[in-house]
Amino acid sequence: MAIMLCYEGRLSLYCFLGGMASLLVFYGAEAFLHEESIWTKVALSVGYYISLNVIIRIRYNPRDYQIAVRAAFLGTVLSAGIVVVLYAQEQYKSFGIYATLMALFHYTEYLGIAICNPKTLSPDSFILNHSIHYGLAAAASWIEYFVEVHYFPEMKTYKSVWIAGLLLCLAGESLRKVAMITASKNFSHIVQFERHNEHELVTHGVYGWMRHPSYVGWFYWSIGTQITLANPVCFVIYAIASWKFFHDRILMEEITLLNFFGEEYIQYQERVPSGLPYISGFRVEP
């Protein structure tokens, strides 16, 4: 894969794997220090990331550093999530699964763009700074999780719930990444309002099943994270907020697609559903 990647993609991959190498620190602590405390392992993870961050800052120029530090952070989070799953108390294990899912999602967003449309690649392609609302939603889910762990720890220990959430997240993640690769150079994180010469209407593969597979995948991944955390309140909030976000996003995007492709897109709308429940997109009145 590294041979196929652009320079920025390779840089991110190496630094992501460098962050994942913190697993060696965890196992070293257990083998040589005979340390079993999960908090000591987390502290070692933080120390490892700080040290790695210093090395990255010295090694790379400011532009490359912005890519490298994000990739290393996500690799470290993924490793920390694995450690929580393996060593934490039962009620905290689902948060470890959630952490690994978050790290994989955000890193593969960048890697996906590096593979399919590197011209649009930037540090924002990790979508870690997607929006204020996105950050607040994540924070709300963490608050709910730890409040419920404190008062109702048993509700976080049902493995069938973890597995259901995990499978939904993996299915949504897979669909989104297949959609990105299928759309190739036509895919972008930002809605395009100006048509370029290379823009094509993609209707094959998963786009033959639904018009917006990347949004469908992201929608189900989003609510899957809350099933994984067994967060009943945020599950409802995420489902409503995500539906509203993608309803408005699809509406805006289809206006531009109709401007780009005209009758060809109208016929595509008639053949293929949007993919999300009760979202029909923008329709031209006859």
Side-chain angles (χ1 to χ4, degrees):
M1 179 182 293
I3 296 175
M4 299 170 55
L5 290 174
C6 60
Y7 166 75
E8 292 84 356
R10 294 195 302 273
L11 171 62
S12 74
L13 183 58
Y14 299 148
C15 292
F16 180 73
L17 294 175
M20 286 188 64
S22 60
L23 280 172
L24 300 176
V25 177
F26 298 136
Y27 288 121
E30 186 176 32
F32 298 107
L33 302 178
H34 305 290
E35 178 58 63
E36 297 182 357
S37 170
I38 184 65
W39 301 113
T40 300
K41 291 180 170 66
V42 170
L44 287 170
S45 174
V46 173
Y48 174 86
Y49 176 69
I50 292 173
S51 301
L52 184 60
N53 195 353
V54 171
I55 294 171
I56 290 171
R57 188 67 187 89
I58 295 171
R59 171 66 178 82
Y60 296 108
N61 62 51
R63 179 181 177 277
D64 290 349
Y65 170 75
Q66 295 301 320
I67 298 168
V69 72
R70 287 166 170 79
F73 169 74
L74 292 171
T76 307
V77 170
L78 187 146
S79 297
I82 292 173
V83 169
V84 170
V85 173
L86 293 177
Y87 296 104
Q89 293 177 310
E90 199 72 11
Q91 64 265 34
Y92 294 108
K93 290 183 183 293
S94 58
F95 197 83
I97 297 172
Y98 166 82
T100 62
L101 289 169
M102 290 290 285
L104 281 172
F105 176 82
H106 284 283
Y107 177 67
T108 55
E109 284 294 299
Y110 187 89
L111 188 65
I113 293 294
I115 293 171
C116 70
N117 194 4
K119 290 182 179 179
T120 65
L121 200 61
S122 77
D124 290 339
S125 299
F126 289 101
I127 60 173
L128 287 168
N129 56 340
H130 178 269
S131 66
I132 294 176
H133 295 95
Y134 185 80
L136 291 175
S141 73
W142 305 338
I143 292 170
E144 180 184 353
Y145 180 85
F146 286 106
V147 168
E148 290 170 352
V149 161
H150 180 75
Y151 289 104
F152 313 104
E154 66 283 353
M155 72 181 292
K156 304 298 184 182
T157 61
Y158 297 113
K159 291 184 179 180
S160 58
V161 176
W162 305 351
I163 294 172
L166 174 63
L167 292 177
L168 185 59
C169 284
L170 292 177
E173 169 90 358
S174 299
L175 176 60
R176 179 168 171 83
K177 296 313 183 285
V178 168
M180 292 171 66
I181 294 171
T182 302
S184 187
K185 62 182 181 295
N186 298 285
F187 186 90
S188 174
H189 281 139
I190 301 172
V191 176
Q192 302 296 301
F193 295 101
E194 181 179 347
R195 183 177 181 181
H196 303 291
N197 293 331
E198 65 271 18
H199 278 167
E200 299 175 352
L201 179 60
V202 180
T203 60
H204 62 279
V206 290
Y207 288 88
W209 307 341
M210 57 194 79
R211 298 198 305 274
H212 301 280
S214 66
Y215 294 158
V216 174
W218 196 352
F219 173 80
Y220 287 109
W221 175 86
S222 174
I223 61 176
T225 61
Q226 300 312 298
I227 297 175
T228 301
L229 292 174
N231 279 354
V233 176
C234 279
F235 170 78
V236 174
I237 294 173
Y238 270 53
I240 295 171
S242 296
W243 186 92
K244 180 65 167 60
F245 172 79
F246 289 118
H247 174 274
D248 296 347
R249 178 84 173 219
I250 287 173
L251 197 67
M252 178 174 61
E253 185 169 303
E254 292 206 333
I255 291 173
T256 65
L257 290 169
L258 285 164
N259 288 332
F260 289 173
F261 302 107
E263 184 63 30
E264 184 181 5
Y265 194 77
I266 293 174
Q267 294 176 5
Y268 179 51
Q269 284 180 310
E270 293 173 352
R271 296 194 313 270
V272 180
S274 73
L276 286 170
Y278 306 106
I279 296 180
S280 59
F282 185 85
R283 299 285 182 168
V284 177
E285 295 296 330

